[in-house]
PDB file of all heavy atoms in Angstrom:
ATOM      1  N   HIS A   1      58.824  72.476-106.128  1.00 94.00           N
ATOM      2  CA  HIS A   1      59.165  72.225-104.736  1.00 94.00           C
ATOM      3  C   HIS A   1      57.854  72.014-103.905  1.00 94.00           C
ATOM      4  O   HIS A   1      56.838  72.578-104.273  1.00 94.00           O
ATOM      5  CB  HIS A   1      59.978  73.384-104.147  1.00 94.00           C
ATOM      6  CG  HIS A   1      61.294  73.593-104.851  1.00 94.00           C
ATOM      7  ND1 HIS A   1      61.393  74.277-106.018  1.00 94.00           N
ATOM      8  CD2 HIS A   1      62.542  73.187-104.495  1.00 94.00           C
ATOM      9  CE1 HIS A   1      62.665  74.299-106.408  1.00 94.00           C
ATOM     10  NE2 HIS A   1      63.379  73.633-105.494  1.00 94.00           N
ATOM     11  N   LEU A   2      57.958  71.235-102.851  1.00 94.00           N
ATOM     12  CA  LEU A   2      56.751  70.939-102.095  1.00 94.00           C
ATOM     13  C   LEU A   2      56.061  72.171-101.520  1.00 94.00           C
ATOM     14  O   LEU A   2      54.844  72.167-101.319  1.00 94.00           O
ATOM     15  CB  LEU A   2      57.078  69.984-100.923  1.00 94.00           C
ATOM     16  CG  LEU A   2      57.439  68.538-101.347  1.00 94.00           C
ATOM     17  CD1 LEU A   2      57.811  67.712-100.134  1.00 94.00           C
ATOM     18  CD2 LEU A   2      56.252  67.894-102.092  1.00 94.00           C
ATOM     19  N   ASP A   3      56.819  73.231-101.251  1.00 91.00           N
ATOM     20  CA  ASP A   3      56.216  74.423-100.679  1.00 91.00           C
ATOM     21  C   ASP A   3      55.856  75.473-101.733  1.00 91.00           C
ATOM     22  O   ASP A   3      55.498  76.587-101.389  1.00 91.00           O
ATOM     23  CB  ASP A   3      57.129  75.032 -99.610  1.00 91.00           C
ATOM     24  CG  ASP A   3      58.514  75.377-100.135  1.00 91.00           C
ATOM     25  OD1 ASP A   3      58.799  75.037-101.302  1.00 91.00           O
ATOM     26  OD2 ASP A   3      59.266  75.983 -99.392  1.00 91.00           O
ATOM     27  N   ASP A   4      55.931  75.108-103.023  1.00 89.00           N
ATOM     28  CA  ASP A   4      55.505  76.005-104.059  1.00 89.00           C
ATOM     29  C   ASP A   4      54.038  76.322-103.985  1.00 89.00           C
ATOM     30  O   ASP A   4      53.249  75.470-103.537  1.00 89.00           O
ATOM     31  CB  ASP A   4      55.811  75.455-105.457  1.00 89.00           C
ATOM     32  CG  ASP A   4      57.313  75.541-105.810  1.00 89.00           C
ATOM     33  OD1 ASP A   4      58.018  76.244-105.100  1.00 89.00           O
ATOM     34  OD2 ASP A   4      57.720  74.908-106.805  1.00 89.00           O
ATOM     35  N   ASP A   5      53.623  77.497-104.385  1.00 88.00           N
ATOM     36  CA  ASP A   5      52.238  77.887-104.342  1.00 88.00           C
ATOM     37  C   ASP A   5      51.409  77.026-105.275  1.00 88.00           C
ATOM     38  O   ASP A   5      51.704  76.884-106.475  1.00 88.00           O
ATOM     39  CB  ASP A   5      52.091  79.361-104.756  1.00 88.00           C
ATOM     40  CG  ASP A   5      50.651  79.829-104.677  1.00 88.00           C
ATOM     41  OD1 ASP A   5      50.125  79.975-103.535  1.00 88.00           O
ATOM     42  OD2 ASP A   5      50.032  80.031-105.751  1.00 88.00           O
ATOM     43  N   MET A   6      50.337  76.427-104.750  1.00 87.00           N
ATOM     44  CA  MET A   6      49.529  75.505-105.537  1.00 87.00           C
ATOM     45  C   MET A   6      48.620  76.256-106.506  1.00 87.00           C
ATOM     46  O   MET A   6      48.282  75.737-107.577  1.00 87.00           O
ATOM     47  CB  MET A   6      48.708  74.606-104.631  1.00 87.00           C
ATOM     48  CG  MET A   6      49.543  73.583-103.862  1.00 87.00           C
ATOM     49  SD  MET A   6      48.525  72.506-102.827  1.00 87.00           S
ATOM     50  CE  MET A   6      48.032  73.668-101.507  1.00 87.00           C
ATOM     51  N   ASN A   7      48.224  77.427-106.130  1.00 84.00           N
ATOM     52  CA  ASN A   7      47.233  78.150-106.973  1.00 84.00           C
ATOM     53  C   ASN A   7      47.911  78.762-108.208  1.00 84.00           C
ATOM     54  O   ASN A   7      47.357  78.626-109.299  1.00 84.00           O
ATOM     55  CB  ASN A   7      46.586  79.284-106.132  1.00 84.00           C
ATOM     56  CG  ASN A   7      45.763  78.728-105.009  1.00 84.00           C
ATOM     57  OD1 ASN A   7      45.053  77.701-105.160  1.00 84.00           O
ATOM     58  ND2 ASN A   7      45.818  79.377-103.837  1.00 84.00           N
ATOM     59  N   SER A   8      49.054  79.380-108.041  1.00 84.00           N
ATOM     60  CA  SER A   8      49.715  79.979-109.207  1.00 84.00           C
ATOM     61  C   SER A   8      50.463  78.963-110.057  1.00 84.00           C
ATOM     62  O   SER A   8      50.762  79.237-111.225  1.00 84.00           O
ATOM     63  CB  SER A   8      50.689  81.088-108.734  1.00 84.00           C
ATOM     64  OG  SER A   8      51.743  80.516-107.952  1.00 84.00           O
ATOM     65  N   GLU A   9      50.744  77.773-109.462  1.00 86.00           N
ATOM     66  CA  GLU A   9      51.521  76.778-110.203  1.00 86.00           C
ATOM     67  C   GLU A   9      50.687  75.560-110.536  1.00 86.00           C
ATOM     68  O   GLU A   9      51.219  74.444-110.773  1.00 86.00           O
ATOM     69  CB  GLU A   9      52.730  76.356-109.383  1.00 86.00           C
ATOM     70  CG  GLU A   9      53.678  77.457-109.046  1.00 86.00           C
ATOM     71  CD  GLU A   9      54.544  77.888-110.231  1.00 86.00           C
ATOM     72  OE1 GLU A   9      54.551  77.160-111.227  1.00 86.00           O
ATOM     73  OE2 GLU A   9      55.176  78.945-110.162  1.00 86.00           O
ATOM     74  N   THR A  10      49.365  75.695-110.570  1.00 91.00           N
ATOM     75  CA  THR A  10      48.493  74.534-110.777  1.00 91.00           C
ATOM     76  C   THR A  10      48.809  73.757-112.039  1.00 91.00           C
ATOM     77  O   THR A  10      48.881  72.519-112.016  1.00 91.00           O
ATOM     78  CB  THR A  10      47.017  74.978-110.814  1.00 91.00           C
ATOM     79  OG1 THR A  10      46.669  75.628-109.622  1.00 91.00           O
ATOM     80  CG2 THR A  10      46.090  73.787-111.032  1.00 91.00           C
ATOM     81  N   ALA A  11      49.029  74.462-113.149  1.00 91.00           N
ATOM     82  CA  ALA A  11      49.306  73.761-114.389  1.00 91.00           C
ATOM     83  C   ALA A  11      50.597  72.938-114.312  1.00 91.00           C
ATOM     84  O   ALA A  11      50.644  71.805-114.821  1.00 91.00           O
ATOM     85  CB  ALA A  11      49.414  74.793-115.518  1.00 91.00           C
ATOM     86  N   ALA A  12      51.607  73.486-113.635  1.00 91.00           N
ATOM     87  CA  ALA A  12      52.873  72.768-113.505  1.00 91.00           C
ATOM     88  C   ALA A  12      52.695  71.510-112.671  1.00 91.00           C
ATOM     89  O   ALA A  12      53.260  70.426-112.978  1.00 91.00           O
ATOM     90  CB  ALA A  12      53.929  73.668-112.898  1.00 91.00           C
ATOM     91  N   TRP A  13      51.927  71.580-111.570  1.00 93.00           N
ATOM     92  CA  TRP A  13      51.640  70.409-110.755  1.00 93.00           C
ATOM     93  C   TRP A  13      50.905  69.362-111.569  1.00 93.00           C
ATOM     94  O   TRP A  13      51.191  68.166-111.512  1.00 93.00           O
ATOM     95  CB  TRP A  13      50.824  70.805-109.520  1.00 93.00           C
ATOM     96  CG  TRP A  13      51.573  71.541-108.477  1.00 93.00           C
ATOM     97  CD1 TRP A  13      51.556  72.878-108.238  1.00 93.00           C
ATOM     98  CD2 TRP A  13      52.436  70.988-107.458  1.00 93.00           C
ATOM     99  NE1 TRP A  13      52.342  73.227-107.182  1.00 93.00           N
ATOM    100  CE2 TRP A  13      52.919  72.070-106.669  1.00 93.00           C
ATOM    101  CE3 TRP A  13      52.874  69.710-107.187  1.00 93.00           C
ATOM    102  CZ2 TRP A  13      53.788  71.889-105.609  1.00 93.00           C
ATOM    103  CZ3 TRP A  13      53.752  69.528-106.105  1.00 93.00           C
ATOM    104  CH2 TRP A  13      54.192  70.593-105.359  1.00 93.00           C
ATOM    105  N   GLN A  14      49.932  69.797-112.327  1.00 91.00           N
ATOM    106  CA  GLN A  14      49.131  68.852-113.121  1.00 91.00           C
ATOM    107  C   GLN A  14      50.040  68.202-114.189  1.00 91.00           C
ATOM    108  O   GLN A  14      49.908  67.018-114.444  1.00 91.00           O
ATOM    109  CB  GLN A  14      47.956  69.577-113.804  1.00 91.00           C
ATOM    110  CG  GLN A  14      46.904  70.027-112.816  1.00 91.00           C
ATOM    111  CD  GLN A  14      45.809  70.834-113.461  1.00 91.00           C
ATOM    112  OE1 GLN A  14      45.997  71.376-114.550  1.00 91.00           O
ATOM    113  NE2 GLN A  14      44.678  70.949-112.773  1.00 91.00           N
ATOM    114  N   GLU A  15      50.910  68.965-114.812  1.00 92.00           N
ATOM    115  CA  GLU A  15      51.796  68.421-115.786  1.00 92.00           C
ATOM    116  C   GLU A  15      52.742  67.378-115.181  1.00 92.00           C
ATOM    117  O   GLU A  15      53.101  66.401-115.847  1.00 92.00           O
ATOM    118  CB  GLU A  15      52.615  69.516-116.475  1.00 92.00           C
ATOM    119  CG  GLU A  15      53.501  69.059-117.584  1.00 92.00           C
ATOM    120  CD  GLU A  15      54.227  70.227-118.278  1.00 92.00           C
ATOM    121  OE1 GLU A  15      53.899  71.404-118.005  1.00 92.00           O
ATOM    122  OE2 GLU A  15      55.130  69.948-119.092  1.00 92.00           O
ATOM    123  N   ALA A  16      53.119  67.602-113.942  1.00 92.00           N
ATOM    124  CA  ALA A  16      53.991  66.660-113.248  1.00 92.00           C
ATOM    125  C   ALA A  16      53.237  65.370-112.836  1.00 92.00           C
ATOM    126  O   ALA A  16      53.854  64.421-112.407  1.00 92.00           O
ATOM    127  CB  ALA A  16      54.626  67.300-112.026  1.00 92.00           C
ATOM    128  N   GLY A  17      51.898  65.412-112.924  1.00 94.00           N
ATOM    129  CA  GLY A  17      51.106  64.249-112.546  1.00 94.00           C
ATOM    130  C   GLY A  17      50.826  64.132-111.078  1.00 94.00           C
ATOM    131  O   GLY A  17      50.582  63.015-110.585  1.00 94.00           O
ATOM    132  N   VAL A  18      50.874  65.229-110.354  1.00 96.00           N
ATOM    133  CA  VAL A  18      50.674  65.228-108.908  1.00 96.00           C
ATOM    134  C   VAL A  18      49.267  65.728-108.627  1.00 96.00           C
ATOM    135  O   VAL A  18      48.870  66.826-109.053  1.00 96.00           O
ATOM    136  CB  VAL A  18      51.709  66.102-108.161  1.00 96.00           C
ATOM    137  CG1 VAL A  18      51.395  66.122-106.673  1.00 96.00           C
ATOM    138  CG2 VAL A  18      53.104  65.574-108.405  1.00 96.00           C
ATOM    139  N   THR A  19      48.486  64.947-107.897  1.00 96.00           N
ATOM    140  CA  THR A  19      47.125  65.342-107.489  1.00 96.00           C
ATOM    141  C   THR A  19      47.230  66.346-106.358  1.00 96.00           C
ATOM    142  O   THR A  19      47.915  66.126-105.368  1.00 96.00           O
ATOM    143  CB  THR A  19      46.304  64.140-107.045  1.00 96.00           C
ATOM    144  OG1 THR A  19      46.236  63.175-108.098  1.00 96.00           O
ATOM    145  CG2 THR A  19      44.904  64.521-106.645  1.00 96.00           C
ATOM    146  N   LEU A  20      46.499  67.476-106.510  1.00 96.00           N
ATOM    147  CA  LEU A  20      46.559  68.538-105.531  1.00 96.00           C
ATOM    148  C   LEU A  20      45.380  68.482-104.563  1.00 96.00           C
ATOM    149  O   LEU A  20      44.317  67.903-104.926  1.00 96.00           O
ATOM    150  CB  LEU A  20      46.578  69.892-106.223  1.00 96.00           C
ATOM    151  CG  LEU A  20      47.820  70.206-107.044  1.00 96.00           C
ATOM    152  CD1 LEU A  20      47.650  71.565-107.762  1.00 96.00           C
ATOM    153  CD2 LEU A  20      49.063  70.220-106.191  1.00 96.00           C
ATOM    154  N   PRO A  21      45.509  69.070-103.366  1.00 97.00           N
ATOM    155  CA  PRO A  21      44.360  69.141-102.460  1.00 97.00           C
ATOM    156  C   PRO A  21      43.216  69.945-103.082  1.00 97.00           C
ATOM    157  O   PRO A  21      43.416  70.860-103.896  1.00 97.00           O
ATOM    158  CB  PRO A  21      44.930  69.859-101.252  1.00 97.00           C
ATOM    159  CG  PRO A  21      46.416  69.709-101.347  1.00 97.00           C
ATOM    160  CD  PRO A  21      46.729  69.646-102.801  1.00 97.00           C
ATOM    161  N   ALA A  22      41.984  69.587-102.712  1.00 96.00           N
ATOM    162  CA  ALA A  22      40.814  70.279-103.248  1.00 96.00           C
ATOM    163  C   ALA A  22      40.231  71.273-102.225  1.00 96.00           C
ATOM    164  O   ALA A  22      39.116  71.686-102.343  1.00 96.00           O
ATOM    165  CB  ALA A  22      39.756  69.259-103.638  1.00 96.00           C
ATOM    166  N   PHE A  23      41.034  71.618-101.233  1.00 97.00           N
ATOM    167  CA  PHE A  23      40.577  72.553-100.187  1.00 97.00           C
ATOM    168  C   PHE A  23      41.577  73.709-100.036  1.00 97.00           C
ATOM    169  O   PHE A  23      42.707  73.586-100.510  1.00 97.00           O
ATOM    170  CB  PHE A  23      40.393  71.809 -98.877  1.00 97.00           C
ATOM    171  CG  PHE A  23      41.664  71.145 -98.378  1.00 97.00           C
ATOM    172  CD1 PHE A  23      42.553  71.809 -97.529  1.00 97.00           C
ATOM    173  CD2 PHE A  23      41.937  69.831 -98.758  1.00 97.00           C
ATOM    174  CE1 PHE A  23      43.718  71.154 -97.095  1.00 97.00           C
ATOM    175  CE2 PHE A  23      43.132  69.198 -98.320  1.00 97.00           C
ATOM    176  CZ  PHE A  23      43.999  69.863 -97.502  1.00 97.00           C
ATOM    177  N   ASP A  24      41.143  74.742 -99.381  1.00 96.00           N
ATOM    178  CA  ASP A  24      42.023  75.892 -99.168  1.00 96.00           C
ATOM    179  C   ASP A  24      42.871  75.640 -97.904  1.00 96.00           C
ATOM    180  O   ASP A  24      42.333  75.526 -96.809  1.00 96.00           O
ATOM    181  CB  ASP A  24      41.193  77.160 -98.938  1.00 96.00           C
ATOM    182  CG  ASP A  24      42.036  78.394 -98.774  1.00 96.00           C
ATOM    183  OD1 ASP A  24      42.492  78.959 -99.758  1.00 96.00           O
ATOM    184  OD2 ASP A  24      42.282  78.769 -97.576  1.00 96.00           O
ATOM    185  N   THR A  25      44.168  75.503 -98.113  1.00 96.00           N
ATOM    186  CA  THR A  25      45.053  75.097 -97.006  1.00 96.00           C
ATOM    187  C   THR A  25      45.148  76.192 -95.953  1.00 96.00           C
ATOM    188  O   THR A  25      45.284  75.881 -94.731  1.00 96.00           O
ATOM    189  CB  THR A  25      46.443  74.725 -97.540  1.00 96.00           C
ATOM    190  OG1 THR A  25      46.962  75.842 -98.281  1.00 96.00           O
ATOM    191  CG2 THR A  25      46.368  73.539 -98.450  1.00 96.00           C
ATOM    192  N   THR A  26      45.102  77.452 -96.348  1.00 96.00           N
ATOM    193  CA  THR A  26      45.176  78.538 -95.376  1.00 96.00           C
ATOM    194  C   THR A  26      43.979  78.551 -94.447  1.00 96.00           C
ATOM    195  O   THR A  26      44.141  78.629 -93.224  1.00 96.00           O
ATOM    196  CB  THR A  26      45.307  79.908 -96.091  1.00 96.00           C
ATOM    197  OG1 THR A  26      46.453  79.913 -96.936  1.00 96.00           O
ATOM    198  CG2 THR A  26      45.390  81.031 -95.091  1.00 96.00           C
ATOM    199  N   SER A  27      42.806  78.399 -94.998  1.00 97.00           N
ATOM    200  CA  SER A  27      41.590  78.345 -94.193  1.00 97.00           C
ATOM    201  C   SER A  27      41.587  77.104 -93.275  1.00 97.00           C
ATOM    202  O   SER A  27      41.184  77.190 -92.109  1.00 97.00           O
ATOM    203  CB  SER A  27      40.364  78.322 -95.086  1.00 97.00           C
ATOM    204  OG  SER A  27      40.272  79.482 -95.859  1.00 97.00           O
ATOM    205  N   MET A  28      42.069  75.987 -93.819  1.00 98.00           N
ATOM    206  CA  MET A  28      42.146  74.784 -93.011  1.00 98.00           C
ATOM    207  C   MET A  28      43.043  74.965 -91.810  1.00 98.00           C
ATOM    208  O   MET A  28      42.711  74.595 -90.690  1.00 98.00           O
ATOM    209  CB  MET A  28      42.643  73.594 -93.878  1.00 98.00           C
ATOM    210  CG  MET A  28      42.826  72.276 -93.121  1.00 98.00           C
ATOM    211  SD  MET A  28      44.396  72.103 -92.251  1.00 98.00           S
ATOM    212  CE  MET A  28      45.559  72.048 -93.627  1.00 98.00           C
ATOM    213  N   ARG A  29      44.191  75.561 -92.023  1.00 98.00           N
ATOM    214  CA  ARG A  29      45.138  75.747 -90.882  1.00 98.00           C
ATOM    215  C   ARG A  29      44.569  76.687 -89.825  1.00 98.00           C
ATOM    216  O   ARG A  29      44.709  76.469 -88.640  1.00 98.00           O
ATOM    217  CB  ARG A  29      46.475  76.235 -91.410  1.00 98.00           C
ATOM    218  CG  ARG A  29      47.193  75.186 -92.227  1.00 98.00           C
ATOM    219  CD  ARG A  29      48.600  75.615 -92.641  1.00 98.00           C
ATOM    220  NE  ARG A  29      49.282  74.588 -93.386  1.00 98.00           N
ATOM    221  CZ  ARG A  29      50.581  74.602 -93.724  1.00 98.00           C
ATOM    222  NH1 ARG A  29      51.307  75.630 -93.325  1.00 98.00           N
ATOM    223  NH2 ARG A  29      51.126  73.620 -94.396  1.00 98.00           N
ATOM    224  N   GLN A  30      43.896  77.715 -90.307  1.00 98.00           N
ATOM    225  CA  GLN A  30      43.311  78.678 -89.371  1.00 98.00           C
ATOM    226  C   GLN A  30      42.242  78.003 -88.526  1.00 98.00           C
ATOM    227  O   GLN A  30      42.205  78.144 -87.291  1.00 98.00           O
ATOM    228  CB  GLN A  30      42.737  79.862 -90.130  1.00 98.00           C
ATOM    229  CG  GLN A  30      43.782  80.781 -90.754  1.00 98.00           C
ATOM    230  CD  GLN A  30      43.149  81.887 -91.607  1.00 98.00           C
ATOM    231  OE1 GLN A  30      41.974  81.818 -91.959  1.00 98.00           O
ATOM    232  NE2 GLN A  30      43.953  82.873 -91.966  1.00 98.00           N
ATOM    233  N   ALA A  31      41.347  77.252 -89.178  1.00 98.00           N
ATOM    234  CA  ALA A  31      40.266  76.594 -88.457  1.00 98.00           C
ATOM    235  C   ALA A  31      40.836  75.528 -87.465  1.00 98.00           C
ATOM    236  O   ALA A  31      40.325  75.411 -86.338  1.00 98.00           O
ATOM    237  CB  ALA A  31      39.326  75.891 -89.447  1.00 98.00           C
ATOM    238  N   THR A  32      41.841  74.816 -87.900  1.00 98.00           N
ATOM    239  CA  THR A  32      42.392  73.758 -87.026  1.00 98.00           C
ATOM    240  C   THR A  32      43.082  74.383 -85.813  1.00 98.00           C
ATOM    241  O   THR A  32      42.898  73.872 -84.688  1.00 98.00           O
ATOM    242  CB  THR A  32      43.421  72.916 -87.837  1.00 98.00           C
ATOM    243  OG1 THR A  32      42.798  72.415 -89.012  1.00 98.00           O
ATOM    244  CG2 THR A  32      43.918  71.753 -86.990  1.00 98.00           C
ATOM    245  N   ASN A  33      43.848  75.403 -86.021  1.00 96.00           N
ATOM    246  CA  ASN A  33      44.562  76.013 -84.908  1.00 96.00           C
ATOM    247  C   ASN A  33      43.623  76.722 -83.914  1.00 96.00           C
ATOM    248  O   ASN A  33      43.922  76.805 -82.743  1.00 96.00           O
ATOM    249  CB  ASN A  33      45.629  76.974 -85.426  1.00 96.00           C
ATOM    250  CG  ASN A  33      46.783  76.254 -86.111  1.00 96.00           C
ATOM    251  OD1 ASN A  33      47.198  75.193 -85.665  1.00 96.00           O
ATOM    252  ND2 ASN A  33      47.289  76.819 -87.202  1.00 96.00           N
ATOM    253  N   GLN A  34      42.494  77.193 -84.437  1.00 96.00           N
ATOM    254  CA  GLN A  34      41.519  77.807 -83.568  1.00 96.00           C
ATOM    255  C   GLN A  34      40.758  76.788 -82.735  1.00 96.00           C
ATOM    256  O   GLN A  34      40.465  77.024 -81.539  1.00 96.00           O
ATOM    257  CB  GLN A  34      40.501  78.648 -84.398  1.00 96.00           C
ATOM    258  CG  GLN A  34      41.107  79.908 -84.949  1.00 96.00           C
ATOM    259  CD  GLN A  34      40.160  80.606 -85.916  1.00 96.00           C
ATOM    260  OE1 GLN A  34      38.995  80.157 -86.117  1.00 96.00           O
ATOM    261  NE2 GLN A  34      40.585  81.713 -86.499  1.00 96.00           N
ATOM    262  N   SER A  35      40.466  75.641 -83.296  1.00 96.00           N
ATOM    263  CA  SER A  35      39.716  74.612 -82.600  1.00 96.00           C
ATOM    264  C   SER A  35      40.041  73.240 -83.151  1.00 96.00           C
ATOM    265  O   SER A  35      39.362  72.681 -84.026  1.00 96.00           O
ATOM    266  CB  SER A  35      38.208  74.862 -82.728  1.00 96.00           C
ATOM    267  OG  SER A  35      37.487  73.935 -81.959  1.00 96.00           O
ATOM    268  N   PRO A  36      41.146  72.623 -82.674  1.00 98.00           N
ATOM    269  CA  PRO A  36      41.583  71.350 -83.202  1.00 98.00           C
ATOM    270  C   PRO A  36      40.681  70.220 -82.779  1.00 98.00           C
ATOM    271  O   PRO A  36      40.064  70.261 -81.698  1.00 98.00           O
ATOM    272  CB  PRO A  36      42.982  71.161 -82.586  1.00 98.00           C
ATOM    273  CG  PRO A  36      42.921  71.976 -81.310  1.00 98.00           C
ATOM    274  CD  PRO A  36      42.039  73.131 -81.612  1.00 98.00           C
ATOM    275  N   VAL A  37      40.602  69.196 -83.642  1.00 98.00           N
ATOM    276  CA  VAL A  37      39.786  67.982 -83.321  1.00 98.00           C
ATOM    277  C   VAL A  37      40.620  66.724 -83.307  1.00 98.00           C
ATOM    278  O   VAL A  37      40.206  65.718 -82.719  1.00 98.00           O
ATOM    279  CB  VAL A  37      38.590  67.822 -84.314  1.00 98.00           C
ATOM    280  CG1 VAL A  37      37.656  69.015 -84.233  1.00 98.00           C
ATOM    281  CG2 VAL A  37      39.095  67.588 -85.742  1.00 98.00           C
ATOM    282  N   TRP A  38      41.798  66.729 -83.954  1.00 98.00           N
ATOM    283  CA  TRP A  38      42.584  65.477 -84.134  1.00 98.00           C
ATOM    284  C   TRP A  38      44.034  65.745 -83.952  1.00 98.00           C
ATOM    285  O   TRP A  38      44.633  66.561 -84.680  1.00 98.00           O
ATOM    286  CB  TRP A  38      42.263  64.931 -85.539  1.00 98.00           C
ATOM    287  CG  TRP A  38      42.864  63.567 -85.835  1.00 98.00           C
ATOM    288  CD1 TRP A  38      43.678  62.789 -85.056  1.00 98.00           C
ATOM    289  CD2 TRP A  38      42.671  62.825 -87.046  1.00 98.00           C
ATOM    290  NE1 TRP A  38      44.014  61.659 -85.679  1.00 98.00           N
ATOM    291  CE2 TRP A  38      43.416  61.625 -86.918  1.00 98.00           C
ATOM    292  CE3 TRP A  38      41.967  63.107 -88.244  1.00 98.00           C
ATOM    293  CZ2 TRP A  38      43.434  60.703 -87.967  1.00 98.00           C
ATOM    294  CZ3 TRP A  38      42.025  62.164 -89.238  1.00 98.00           C
ATOM    295  CH2 TRP A  38      42.752  60.932 -89.109  1.00 98.00           C
ATOM    296  N   VAL A  39      44.644  65.062 -82.987  1.00 98.00           N
ATOM    297  CA  VAL A  39      46.116  65.111 -82.780  1.00 98.00           C
ATOM    298  C   VAL A  39      46.637  63.694 -82.978  1.00 98.00           C
ATOM    299  O   VAL A  39      46.049  62.743 -82.485  1.00 98.00           O
ATOM    300  CB  VAL A  39      46.459  65.611 -81.362  1.00 98.00           C
ATOM    301  CG1 VAL A  39      47.965  65.545 -81.122  1.00 98.00           C
ATOM    302  CG2 VAL A  39      45.953  67.036 -81.170  1.00 98.00           C
TER     303      VAL A  39
END
């Protein structure tokens, strides 16, 4: 599912042939919400 955890399910995503983000999504959301640059 799209909201499945990417870290614990990495192998399953790779097996499905889906390229995953190379950044930490939690940190990204925190930084964006604290000081957004693009709407």
Side-chain angles (χ1 to χ4, degrees):
H1 298 81
L2 289 178
D3 57 354
D4 284 348
D5 182 71
M6 290 182 287
N7 296 320
S8 63
E9 300 285 346
T10 300
W13 287 101
Q14 291 175 342
E15 185 177 349
V18 177
T19 302
L20 294 177
F23 57 92
D24 182 83
T25 56
T26 300
S27 298
M28 177 276 294
R29 291 186 179 190
Q30 290 175 346
T32 306
N33 290 321
Q34 288 174 2
S35 184
V37 298
W38 185 357
V39 175

